[in-house]
Amino acid sequence: VLSVVKPPVPQNVSSDPESARSFAQSCVGPSHKPAFQIDVGSVVEVSGVRTKKLGGSHREQCVTQFNVHYSTDNVAWSGAVGKNGTEYDWFDGPTASDGAEDAKDAIFAAPVMARYVRVQVQTYHSWPSMRVGLLVRGEDGEQRVTTYTRSPF
């Protein structure tokens, strides 16, 4: 079962991930391996994702492992290749001992072209919650982090 939410992510590519806004979404509960979807708005080069714990009063909640799916058209999907060299690799997120603002980068084996990116939870601590920013190439060729999007669960 895939819980898909399209949070608003228009023109929000920032070179300063700490200044990024977060979007709160509704909970769907941890009874399955939830996923959420980010719509970047146009096809961009994505080289990975940057994750953080949920933060605030829920600072212990975090997704510790996840995999990433991507698409240019929201129809045909592929799995991001990670350090193991296989499609749909698991990537590591923050752990319970990490600070609420400690960022963890999950770098793909090679950049991908995508408009839609899905993050699917595999394991978590306390509750499957996270903040995610996409590592994208800006028009000037510099790598940037999109505005952090809060998980909808």
Side-chain angles (χ1 to χ4, degrees):
V1 175
L2 186 64
S3 300
V4 177
V5 173
K6 291 184 180 179
V9 189
Q11 305 118 21
N12 55 2
V13 177
S14 169
S15 60
D16 178 13
E18 300 311 314
S19 68
R21 295 180 294 145
S22 292
F23 298 98
Q25 304 292 335
S26 59
C27 283
V28 297
S31 61
H32 58 288
K33 292 182 179 177
F36 72 101
Q37 180 169 305
I38 299 169
D39 179 359
V40 182
S42 62
V43 176
V44 296
E45 181 182 290
V46 181
S47 60
V49 297
R50 179 170 291 169
T51 60
K52 291 183 177 184
K53 290 179 169 183
L54 188 60
S57 62
H58 304 287
R59 63 186 164 275
E60 293 305 313
Q61 298 177 3
C62 59
V63 173
T64 54
Q65 288 187 316
F66 57 92
N67 56 28
V68 178
H69 312 253
Y70 62 92
S71 173
T72 57
D73 60 8
N74 205 19
V75 176
W77 291 87
S78 298
V81 176
K83 60 186 173 192
N84 294 328
T86 58
E87 195 174 27
Y88 300 106
D89 268 352
W90 287 17
F91 294 95
D92 294 325
T95 64
S97 62
D98 289 329
E101 294 303 317
D102 290 347
K104 196 83 59 94
D105 288 350
I107 306 299
F108 304 157
V112 300
M113 299 305 291
R115 173 178 172 173
Y116 304 93
V117 177
R118 286 183 186 163
V119 176
Q120 183 165 21
V121 174
Q122 296 300 320
T123 62
Y124 59 90
H125 176 77
S126 181
W127 191 266
S129 300
M130 67 191 317
R131 291 175 286 169
V132 176
L134 302 180
L135 302 173
V136 301
R137 179 99 28 225
E139 290 180 12
D140 59 2
E142 294 296 316
Q143 182 168 286
R144 304 200 192 299
V145 180
T146 62
T147 298
Y148 284 100
T149 302
R150 284 181 176 264
S151 59
F153 27 87

